[in-house]
Amino acid sequence: MWKELGIIGGTAIIVLAALYFVIKWAVKSGMKEAYEEISGKEIKDDLDEILEKEAEGKERKNSKR
């Protein structure tokens, strides 16, 4: 099947891996969005929490001055 499309094994693996991660990201985002809509609560990502902690740390340093 892959040879008919002119795709060799290495390329097929890369394409399938990329497709896996795109689908995984889409499902995760969809589930997060649905949960937020149903529960009315906003879910924070790890990145959001890290950025908030950094901002709090900077505010504390500025308030000590």
Side-chain angles (χ1 to χ4, degrees), residues 15 20 31-32 54 56 59:
V15 168
Y20 167 78
M31 290 177 67
K32 178 183 170 188
E54 287 179 359
E56 288 174 6
E59 288 175 6

Side-chain angles (χ1 to χ4, degrees), residues 10-61:
T11 305
I13 290 172
I14 292 172
V15 168
L16 290 174
L19 186 61
Y20 167 78
F21 287 108
V22 167
I23 292 171
K24 180 180 173 183
W25 170 79
V27 169
K28 182 179 177 182
S29 295
M31 290 177 67
K32 178 183 170 188
E33 185 177 321
Y35 178 78
E36 288 176 349
E37 193 172 306
I38 291 169
S39 68
K41 299 177 184 175
E42 185 175 333
I43 298 174
K44 293 185 179 181
D45 289 338
D46 293 336
L47 181 59
D48 292 336
E49 292 176 10
I50 291 169
L51 293 174
E52 284 180 3
K53 287 179 183 178
E54 287 179 359
E56 288 174 6
K58 288 179 183 178
E59 288 175 6
R60 288 181 190 158
K61 287 179 183 178

